[in-house]
Amino acid sequence: MTYVEEVMERVKKFNPGEPEFHQAVQEVLDSVAPAVEAHEEEYRKVKLLERLIEPERSISFQVPWVDDNGDVQINRGYRIQFSSALGPYKGGLRFHPTVNRSIMNFLGFEQIFKNALTGQAIGGAKGGSNFDPKGKSEREIIAFCHSFMTELFKYIGPNEDVPAGDIGVGAREIGYLYGQYKRITNQFEGALTGKGLLYGGSLVRKEATGYGLVYITEEMLKAHGKTIEGATVAVSGSGNVATYTVEKAQQMGAKVVTVSDSNGYIYDPDGINLDVVKEIKELRRGRISEYINAVPTAQYVHGKSVWEDVVCDIALPCASQNELKLEYAEGLVERGCYAVCEGANMPTTREATDFLLEKGILFLPGKASNAGGVAVSALEMSQNSMRKRRSFEDVDSELHEIMKDIWEQVRSAAADYGQPCNYVMGANIAGFRKVVKAMREQGWV
Ligand code: NDP
Ligand code: 2IT
């Protein structure tokens, strides 16, 4: 067995029943195998891969809270502090009923390499809870967030671990979490990012993941003699990442024809009206099906994924893991799609990814293409440390530069290993090389 195969066996043995975690590790290990081979003796000796696949610290805790009926509810909270090789642990919090150890481990593991690509000094982490914010009252959300932080505060801090948002956690939840952190610690400091603008949040953080996705998509397209201007783009999801992906794609001249949620999708042949989406999702916290009340010429398709029928040039999956399956990828390619760039984390299954690469579809993996969010989180951390506030234009232009730089790292690492169009390999190797170099320079601790 090769070293990579041995370590994959180990992941499965010590983390049984964690398919998403296995999937994320398998993809990284397959990509970095050639880079590992060249240094196999050294890496085996320092147990490099065994260490990378084991979180430095993994915390799970009870989150009791009282619902509006006066009944006590209980959820499980997590914080997986995966790697501090490059800086304080950094990564989002997800509140969604599907959250379990596998989802947390996969997200925390991916975050190590994504954060490395940003060039910012941030380690990798993830956290969250199986709490379902849907249908909860404002008071219940506050009660949950306060209880969650009452335990989490012990493990975080501006130089230790800095959580942010993810699915089900936006500026509202970060505000409630931050309020409780401040009460318990008596410190007004940058222990969370994605905060409100009045108390230490950064301009552009809200937009960063979506904007960054479109910036790097354009870099990749340019390198292949194409542009997003005039292209028909399909987006899935209608949350934070999807919304600001649509916004930037439209600003850059694309026609975006879809948005979705877990119930169904909207197809608007005239191009998505983003004011309507924001009104439904950000102001009213409604469902995307309501779009057709405001835009009767659009279509709402219930119970189906965007990827089942849409005709597009460019696909930007921005909802959740494994949403873009092989059969959908086959259909997309048949209907003329030539680029897929991931806004969500691991939205494309392994089979679909392999198929798209085989077909020569331009494919950017999430750990490169959605890194703009965490990159601006790091800029928020530095503004908090300096007690400084940067303008929208200033942060946006740095985000743009970071995404161009990520593209360059991904492109050149892929080329270095003789697979010039395999950006999955490029992203994994480029991130891996940085983490390994930092570990070596710190004496492999
Ligand atoms: P939001 O909670 O704002 O939005 C999530 C969207 O995805 C909603 O439209 C939701 O629909 C849909 N969705 C969630 N789970 C599923 C599912 N299992 N099946 C179908 N649709 C689903 O989250 P974000 O926009 O922040 O996150 C979206 C993705 O982007 C996630 O993969 C996240 O990890 C990733 N990401 C987020 C970053 C950030 O800065 N926020 C940064 C980098 C990556 P519904 O309302 O019906 O649940
Ligand atoms: O997946 C991600 O990169 C995020 N959810 C953002 C993490 C962050 O710390 O801003």
Side-chain angles (χ1 to χ4, degrees), residues 92-98 106-107 111 114 126 132-134 164-170 205-210 236-243 259-264 281 286-288 305 317-323 342-347 366 369-374 377:
L93 297 172
R94 175 177 293 191
F95 293 168
H96 194 271
T98 57
F106 118 65
L107 289 164
Q111 199 82 39
K114 179 196 306 193
K126 200 78 189 190
D132 185 359
K134 279 203 193 85
D166 192 80
I167 292 177
V169 179
R205 176 61 189 87
K206 181 175 70 174
E207 294 84 356
T209 312
S236 63
S238 51
N240 173 266
V241 178
T243 300
V259 280
S260 69
D261 61 23
S262 54
N263 297 126
K281 297 292 299 180
R287 304 300 296 160
I288 206 60
S305 158
C318 296
S320 201
Q321 63 278 350
N322 290 328
E323 57 171 291
E342 297 183 327
N345 285 309
M346 208 168 75
S369 47
N370 71 34
V374 76
S377 275

